[in-house]
Amino acid sequence: MKDNTTYYEKKAKLLSTLLSNLKKEEEYLSYGDADSAVKIEFKNEPILKKLEELDQQFLEADNQLIVSQVEIANAEKVFSLLDEARRVQLNVQQKLEMEMNSAKKELWEFRIKRKLKQHFLQNSGLSWIKNYC
């Protein structure tokens, strides 16, 4: 990596994309569209991987400690984006958990109805005398 400015610019760009996706996820979840939100979540995985790779490259590079005002400004932008992304991610996580709990509840209700139906069918039996089969 040549200089820290390009590192911070690349990181800010990736974080901006991630943040945009998280906001879309949050919006979909507020409408109750968990399927679309999960699709976006899968799109975030490669972005997170690129962020990790970028950080690893930065750590492995021989970076000097001389810091310019531009680098400081870019670093502040990165930290600001990180804070906002964390905040939105927490909201998304909470909404996803609510959707998951709702889906679990629906699944349990379906299973209970199915078991009750099977129980009633077994207990009532098939009878020509009672006029039901």
Side-chain angles (χ1 to χ4, degrees):
M1 183 126 354
K2 283 189 174 181
D3 63 337
N4 295 344
T5 305
T6 56
Y7 163 76
Y8 290 121
E9 289 170 352
K10 287 178 185 178
K11 187 152 182 150
K13 183 178 177 184
L14 288 169
L15 285 171
S16 293
T17 304
L18 180 67
L19 183 59
S20 174
N21 286 350
L22 287 170
K23 286 181 178 180
K24 285 179 191 175
E25 259 187 276
E26 186 177 33
E27 182 180 348
Y28 284 135
L29 288 169
S30 69
Y31 297 138
D33 187 1
D35 293 336
S36 296
V38 169
K39 288 177 186 175
I40 292 175
E41 186 69 27
F42 286 121
K43 290 180 181 180
N44 288 342
E45 289 179 15
I47 297 170
L48 291 171
K49 187 153 185 87
K50 287 178 185 176
L51 282 165
E52 288 174 7
E53 290 170 0
L54 186 64
D55 286 343
Q56 190 62 34
Q57 289 173 0
F58 182 75
L59 290 173
E60 291 173 357
D62 185 26
N63 294 309
Q64 300 170 353
L65 293 178
I66 301 172
V67 179
S68 69
Q69 286 183 328
V70 173
E71 289 173 329
I72 292 171
N74 287 335
E76 286 176 357
K77 181 180 178 183
V78 165
F79 286 118
S80 173
L81 287 168
L82 277 171
D83 287 340
E84 189 174 359
R86 282 187 196 111
R87 182 188 56 76
V88 175
Q89 177 60 36
L90 286 174
N91 291 339
V92 166
Q93 187 66 33
Q94 288 173 346
K95 289 180 180 181
L96 278 173
E97 286 176 12
M98 287 174 33
E99 287 292 325
M100 183 181 68
N101 289 336
S102 175
K104 282 181 182 178
K105 181 181 174 185
E106 289 176 25
L107 177 64
W108 280 108
E109 288 173 358
F110 173 77
R111 285 181 178 171
I112 289 170
K113 287 179 184 177
R114 193 169 100 201
K115 285 186 180 188
L116 282 173
K117 188 176 180 181
Q118 287 175 344
H119 174 74
F120 289 138
L121 285 174
Q122 287 174 354
N123 287 341
S124 64
L126 300 176
S127 172
W128 293 107
I129 300 169
K130 297 178 184 174
N131 291 328
Y132 51 81
C133 351

